[in-house]
Amino acid sequence: MLKKVLLTGCTGFVGRSVLTRLCRDGEAVVACSRTEMLKAPSAVEYMQVADLDSNTDWTLVLSGIAAVIHCAARVHVMNDTSSDPLTEFRQINVDGTLNLARQAAAAGVRRFIFISSIKVSGEGTVLGAPYHADAQPAPVDPYGISKMEAEQGLRILATETTMEVVIIRPVLVYGPGVKANFLSMMRWLHKSVPLPFGAIDNRRSLVALDNLVDLIVTCIDHPAAANQTFLVSDGEDLSTTELLRRMGAALGKSARLLPVPSRLLEVGAATLGKQALAQRLCGSLQVDINKTRELLNWTPPLGVDEALRKAAKHFLEQQSK
């Protein structure tokens, strides 16, 4: 391992778990976030950063840093109400990222790990035709475009400096404390709500939080990771129907799934203006992680069922409070 790591976005869903793992591994960490970290581990140097944009001065933070793990971002949100979302995404995800990376290279940082998004690859795949790490990007929404532009800028920087860049594009991340649609799914299952998702024959790649964190930590100093782009998943693709059944089992519930044809669900969602949600429920999004496995000799340490049980355990503990 390297001697000192800078972690941005340390209070976020992924960043918190990366910080926990680095501390467990005995790494020296400087952790940064825009929101105050109320209980920073004693071994961690914590610095609150007011903004992440082209004007942020990282000089003090980068002193003595050997590797940067950049988790901070303006994240994708459903139903964004901004009048110019692409400009807002670019300010943080492109300008803020490249500003930090340029200063990191100037400070002698050896490796910069950028947590990107599968949205750079696109919004969905044909069943059985997964995305590959080195295929042509095809982002659709402003968030995906901003992440792609940040990747492009980082690759250029890697050719102009001695700093190595590693890009990781996760699929949907789940685990203890997960929010949004995955949390809603657990709530429905916990309440035994009948769901019309019993006949969906799609395939979606997911990644457990622990698996993503393990890959990030692997990339800190693995020689073969330098200047590479990696896709990451659990290595097992599930249909929405199968995911609900297995999540229900993790919660100790029998999923009540009605066999409504996918086409009817899609038509109903379109009528309600919920096409994006229907695409996530009925469409496929698969990734091929063979490059990640072979180049890094990496295997997801957690199986899907074990990962679902960890998410379910945390959810049930929260419900009992």
Side-chain angles (χ1 to χ4, degrees), residues 164-177:
E164 300 166 346
V165 167
V166 182
I167 294 166
I168 299 174
R169 292 183 197 157
V171 289
L172 175 67
V173 185
Y174 68 97

mmCIF file with all atom_site columns, all heavy atoms in Angstrom, residues 164-177:
data_model
loop_
_atom_site.group_PDB
_atom_site.id
_atom_site.type_symbol
_atom_site.label_atom_id
_atom_site.label_alt_id
_atom_site.label_comp_id
_atom_site.label_asym_id
_atom_site.label_entity_id
_atom_site.label_seq_id
_atom_site.pdbx_PDB_ins_code
_atom_site.Cartn_x
_atom_site.Cartn_y
_atom_site.Cartn_z
_atom_site.occupancy
_atom_site.B_iso_or_equiv
_atom_site.pdbx_formal_charge
_atom_site.auth_seq_id
_atom_site.auth_comp_id
_atom_site.auth_asym_id
_atom_site.auth_atom_id
_atom_site.pdbx_PDB_model_num
ATOM 1   N N   . GLU A 1 164 ? -0.583  8.694  -12.651 1.00 0.00 ? 164 GLU A N   1
ATOM 2   C CA  . GLU A 1 164 ? -1.396  7.633  -13.235 1.00 0.00 ? 164 GLU A CA  1
ATOM 3   C C   . GLU A 1 164 ? -2.863  7.845  -12.880 1.00 0.00 ? 164 GLU A C   1
ATOM 4   O O   . GLU A 1 164 ? -3.190  8.273  -11.773 1.00 0.00 ? 164 GLU A O   1
ATOM 5   C CB  . GLU A 1 164 ? -0.935  6.277  -12.702 1.00 0.00 ? 164 GLU A CB  1
ATOM 6   C CG  . GLU A 1 164 ? 0.513   5.959  -13.023 1.00 0.00 ? 164 GLU A CG  1
ATOM 7   C CD  . GLU A 1 164 ? 1.057   4.803  -12.227 1.00 0.00 ? 164 GLU A CD  1
ATOM 8   O OE1 . GLU A 1 164 ? 0.411   4.392  -11.235 1.00 0.00 ? 164 GLU A OE1 1
ATOM 9   O OE2 . GLU A 1 164 ? 2.143   4.311  -12.584 1.00 0.00 ? 164 GLU A OE2 1
ATOM 10  N N   . VAL A 1 165 ? -3.737  7.530  -13.814 1.00 0.00 ? 165 VAL A N   1
ATOM 11  C CA  . VAL A 1 165 ? -5.181  7.689  -13.622 1.00 0.00 ? 165 VAL A CA  1
ATOM 12  C C   . VAL A 1 165 ? -5.851  6.321  -13.697 1.00 0.00 ? 165 VAL A C   1
ATOM 13  O O   . VAL A 1 165 ? -5.522  5.512  -14.573 1.00 0.00 ? 165 VAL A O   1
ATOM 14  C CB  . VAL A 1 165 ? -5.772  8.635  -14.679 1.00 0.00 ? 165 VAL A CB  1
ATOM 15  C CG1 . VAL A 1 165 ? -7.299  8.567  -14.684 1.00 0.00 ? 165 VAL A CG1 1
ATOM 16  C CG2 . VAL A 1 165 ? -5.309  10.073 -14.438 1.00 0.00 ? 165 VAL A CG2 1
ATOM 17  N N   . VAL A 1 166 ? -6.758  6.071  -12.770 1.00 0.00 ? 166 VAL A N   1
ATOM 18  C CA  . VAL A 1 166 ? -7.579  4.864  -12.796 1.00 0.00 ? 166 VAL A CA  1
ATOM 19  C C   . VAL A 1 166 ? -9.037  5.299  -12.772 1.00 0.00 ? 166 VAL A C   1
ATOM 20  O O   . VAL A 1 166 ? -9.443  6.103  -11.920 1.00 0.00 ? 166 VAL A O   1
ATOM 21  C CB  . VAL A 1 166 ? -7.311  3.952  -11.582 1.00 0.00 ? 166 VAL A CB  1
ATOM 22  C CG1 . VAL A 1 166 ? -8.151  2.678  -11.683 1.00 0.00 ? 166 VAL A CG1 1
ATOM 23  C CG2 . VAL A 1 166 ? -5.830  3.605  -11.480 1.00 0.00 ? 166 VAL A CG2 1
ATOM 24  N N   . ILE A 1 167 ? -9.825  4.792  -13.708 1.00 0.00 ? 167 ILE A N   1
ATOM 25  C CA  . ILE A 1 167 ? -11.247 5.138  -13.800 1.00 0.00 ? 167 ILE A CA  1
ATOM 26  C C   . ILE A 1 167 ? -12.072 3.892  -13.500 1.00 0.00 ? 167 ILE A C   1
ATOM 27  O O   . ILE A 1 167 ? -11.845 2.832  -14.095 1.00 0.00 ? 167 ILE A O   1
ATOM 28  C CB  . ILE A 1 167 ? -11.585 5.692  -15.195 1.00 0.00 ? 167 ILE A CB  1
ATOM 29  C CG1 . ILE A 1 167 ? -10.863 7.038  -15.419 1.00 0.00 ? 167 ILE A CG1 1
ATOM 30  C CG2 . ILE A 1 167 ? -13.097 5.852  -15.368 1.00 0.00 ? 167 ILE A CG2 1
ATOM 31  C CD1 . ILE A 1 167 ? -10.861 7.497  -16.853 1.00 0.00 ? 167 ILE A CD1 1
ATOM 32  N N   . ILE A 1 168 ? -13.024 4.037  -12.578 1.00 0.00 ? 168 ILE A N   1
ATOM 33  C CA  . ILE A 1 168 ? -13.913 2.933  -12.217 1.00 0.00 ? 168 ILE A CA  1
ATOM 34  C C   . ILE A 1 168 ? -15.349 3.360  -12.486 1.00 0.00 ? 168 ILE A C   1
ATOM 35  O O   . ILE A 1 168 ? -15.795 4.394  -11.984 1.00 0.00 ? 168 ILE A O   1
ATOM 36  C CB  . ILE A 1 168 ? -13.747 2.534  -10.740 1.00 0.00 ? 168 ILE A CB  1
ATOM 37  C CG1 . ILE A 1 168 ? -12.315 2.061  -10.470 1.00 0.00 ? 168 ILE A CG1 1
ATOM 38  C CG2 . ILE A 1 168 ? -14.757 1.448  -10.352 1.00 0.00 ? 168 ILE A CG2 1
ATOM 39  C CD1 . ILE A 1 168 ? -12.023 1.779  -9.009  1.00 0.00 ? 168 ILE A CD1 1
ATOM 40  N N   . ARG A 1 169 ? -16.058 2.573  -13.276 1.00 0.00 ? 169 ARG A N   1
ATOM 41  C CA  . ARG A 1 169 ? -17.468 2.869  -13.575 1.00 0.00 ? 169 ARG A CA  1
ATOM 42  C C   . ARG A 1 169 ? -18.360 1.836  -12.890 1.00 0.00 ? 169 ARG A C   1
ATOM 43  O O   . ARG A 1 169 ? -18.572 0.739  -13.407 1.00 0.00 ? 169 ARG A O   1
ATOM 44  C CB  . ARG A 1 169 ? -17.726 2.809  -15.085 1.00 0.00 ? 169 ARG A CB  1
ATOM 45  C CG  . ARG A 1 169 ? -17.067 3.893  -15.895 1.00 0.00 ? 169 ARG A CG  1
ATOM 46  C CD  . ARG A 1 169 ? -17.474 3.755  -17.357 1.00 0.00 ? 169 ARG A CD  1
ATOM 47  N NE  . ARG A 1 169 ? -16.585 4.492  -18.233 1.00 0.00 ? 169 ARG A NE  1
ATOM 48  C CZ  . ARG A 1 169 ? -16.411 4.213  -19.523 1.00 0.00 ? 169 ARG A CZ  1
ATOM 49  N NH1 . ARG A 1 169 ? -17.070 3.190  -20.074 1.00 0.00 ? 169 ARG A NH1 1
ATOM 50  N NH2 . ARG A 1 169 ? -15.589 4.931  -20.252 1.00 0.00 ? 169 ARG A NH2 1
ATOM 51  N N   . PRO A 1 170 ? -18.914 2.162  -11.736 1.00 0.00 ? 170 PRO A N   1
ATOM 52  C CA  . PRO A 1 170 ? -19.815 1.215  -11.064 1.00 0.00 ? 170 PRO A CA  1
ATOM 53  C C   . PRO A 1 170 ? -21.195 1.206  -11.716 1.00 0.00 ? 170 PRO A C   1
ATOM 54  O O   . PRO A 1 170 ? -21.665 2.204  -12.263 1.00 0.00 ? 170 PRO A O   1
ATOM 55  C CB  . PRO A 1 170 ? -19.912 1.764  -9.630  1.00 0.00 ? 170 PRO A CB  1
ATOM 56  C CG  . PRO A 1 170 ? -18.916 2.892  -9.552  1.00 0.00 ? 170 PRO A CG  1
ATOM 57  C CD  . PRO A 1 170 ? -18.690 3.363  -10.937 1.00 0.00 ? 170 PRO A CD  1
ATOM 58  N N   . VAL A 1 171 ? -21.850 0.066  -11.616 1.00 0.00 ? 171 VAL A N   1
ATOM 59  C CA  . VAL A 1 171 ? -23.285 -0.014 -11.894 1.00 0.00 ? 171 VAL A CA  1
ATOM 60  C C   . VAL A 1 171 ? -24.015 0.386  -10.607 1.00 0.00 ? 171 VAL A C   1
ATOM 61  O O   . VAL A 1 171 ? -23.412 0.967  -9.707  1.00 0.00 ? 171 VAL A O   1
ATOM 62  C CB  . VAL A 1 171 ? -23.663 -1.440 -12.347 1.00 0.00 ? 171 VAL A CB  1
ATOM 63  C CG1 . VAL A 1 171 ? -23.130 -1.716 -13.740 1.00 0.00 ? 171 VAL A CG1 1
ATOM 64  C CG2 . VAL A 1 171 ? -23.136 -2.498 -11.367 1.00 0.00 ? 171 VAL A CG2 1
ATOM 65  N N   . LEU A 1 172 ? -25.300 0.103  -10.505 1.00 0.00 ? 172 LEU A N   1
ATOM 66  C CA  . LEU A 1 172 ? -26.058 0.447  -9.294  1.00 0.00 ? 172 LEU A CA  1
ATOM 67  C C   . LEU A 1 172 ? -25.403 -0.183 -8.061  1.00 0.00 ? 172 LEU A C   1
ATOM 68  O O   . LEU A 1 172 ? -25.187 -1.398 -8.014  1.00 0.00 ? 172 LEU A O   1
ATOM 69  C CB  . LEU A 1 172 ? -27.497 -0.052 -9.418  1.00 0.00 ? 172 LEU A CB  1
ATOM 70  C CG  . LEU A 1 172 ? -28.367 0.127  -8.163  1.00 0.00 ? 172 LEU A CG  1
ATOM 71  C CD1 . LEU A 1 172 ? -28.606 1.605  -7.886  1.00 0.00 ? 172 LEU A CD1 1
ATOM 72  C CD2 . LEU A 1 172 ? -29.691 -0.613 -8.308  1.00 0.00 ? 172 LEU A CD2 1
ATOM 73  N N   . VAL A 1 173 ? -25.099 0.668  -7.080  1.00 0.00 ? 173 VAL A N   1
ATOM 74  C CA  . VAL A 1 173 ? -24.438 0.213  -5.860  1.00 0.00 ? 173 VAL A CA  1
ATOM 75  C C   . VAL A 1 173 ? -25.485 0.032  -4.764  1.00 0.00 ? 173 VAL A C   1
ATOM 76  O O   . VAL A 1 173 ? -26.318 0.920  -4.530  1.00 0.00 ? 173 VAL A O   1
ATOM 77  C CB  . VAL A 1 173 ? -23.377 1.232  -5.393  1.00 0.00 ? 173 VAL A CB  1
ATOM 78  C CG1 . VAL A 1 173 ? -22.607 0.680  -4.192  1.00 0.00 ? 173 VAL A CG1 1
ATOM 79  C CG2 . VAL A 1 173 ? -22.421 1.582  -6.529  1.00 0.00 ? 173 VAL A CG2 1
ATOM 80  N N   . TYR A 1 174 ? -25.445 -1.109 -4.086  1.00 0.00 ? 174 TYR A N   1
ATOM 81  C CA  . TYR A 1 174 ? -26.376 -1.357 -2.980  1.00 0.00 ? 174 TYR A CA  1
ATOM 82  C C   . TYR A 1 174 ? -25.605 -1.870 -1.779  1.00 0.00 ? 174 TYR A C   1
ATOM 83  O O   . TYR A 1 174 ? -24.482 -2.371 -1.897  1.00 0.00 ? 174 TYR A O   1
ATOM 84  C CB  . TYR A 1 174 ? -27.453 -2.370 -3.387  1.00 0.00 ? 174 TYR A CB  1
ATOM 85  C CG  . TYR A 1 174 ? -26.920 -3.763 -3.611  1.00 0.00 ? 174 TYR A CG  1
ATOM 86  C CD1 . TYR A 1 174 ? -26.988 -4.737 -2.606  1.00 0.00 ? 174 TYR A CD1 1
ATOM 87  C CD2 . TYR A 1 174 ? -26.323 -4.119 -4.816  1.00 0.00 ? 174 TYR A CD2 1
ATOM 88  C CE1 . TYR A 1 174 ? -26.482 -6.019 -2.805  1.00 0.00 ? 174 TYR A CE1 1
ATOM 89  C CE2 . TYR A 1 174 ? -25.809 -5.401 -5.024  1.00 0.00 ? 174 TYR A CE2 1
ATOM 90  C CZ  . TYR A 1 174 ? -25.897 -6.339 -4.012  1.00 0.00 ? 174 TYR A CZ  1
ATOM 91  O OH  . TYR A 1 174 ? -25.383 -7.593 -4.202  1.00 0.00 ? 174 TYR A OH  1
ATOM 92  N N   . GLY A 1 175 ? -26.201 -1.719 -0.629  1.00 0.00 ? 175 GLY A N   1
ATOM 93  C CA  . GLY A 1 175 ? -25.560 -2.173 0.598   1.00 0.00 ? 175 GLY A CA  1
ATOM 94  C C   . GLY A 1 175 ? -26.211 -1.512 1.794   1.00 0.00 ? 175 GLY A C   1
ATOM 95  O O   . GLY A 1 175 ? -27.229 -0.807 1.663   1.00 0.00 ? 175 GLY A O   1
ATOM 96  N N   . PRO A 1 176 ? -25.648 -1.694 2.982   1.00 0.00 ? 176 PRO A N   1
ATOM 97  C CA  . PRO A 1 176 ? -26.218 -1.072 4.183   1.00 0.00 ? 176 PRO A CA  1
ATOM 98  C C   . PRO A 1 176 ? -26.307 0.441  4.037   1.00 0.00 ? 176 PRO A C   1
ATOM 99  O O   . PRO A 1 176 ? -25.329 1.101  3.711   1.00 0.00 ? 176 PRO A O   1
ATOM 100 C CB  . PRO A 1 176 ? -25.212 -1.464 5.271   1.00 0.00 ? 176 PRO A CB  1
ATOM 101 C CG  . PRO A 1 176 ? -24.573 -2.720 4.770   1.00 0.00 ? 176 PRO A CG  1
ATOM 102 C CD  . PRO A 1 176 ? -24.487 -2.551 3.289   1.00 0.00 ? 176 PRO A CD  1
ATOM 103 N N   . GLY A 1 177 ? -27.523 0.975  4.230   1.00 0.00 ? 177 GLY A N   1
ATOM 104 C CA  . GLY A 1 177 ? -27.725 2.417  4.121   1.00 0.00 ? 177 GLY A CA  1
ATOM 105 C C   . GLY A 1 177 ? -28.085 2.894  2.733   1.00 0.00 ? 177 GLY A C   1
ATOM 106 O O   . GLY A 1 177 ? -28.153 4.101  2.492   1.00 0.00 ? 177 GLY A O   1
#
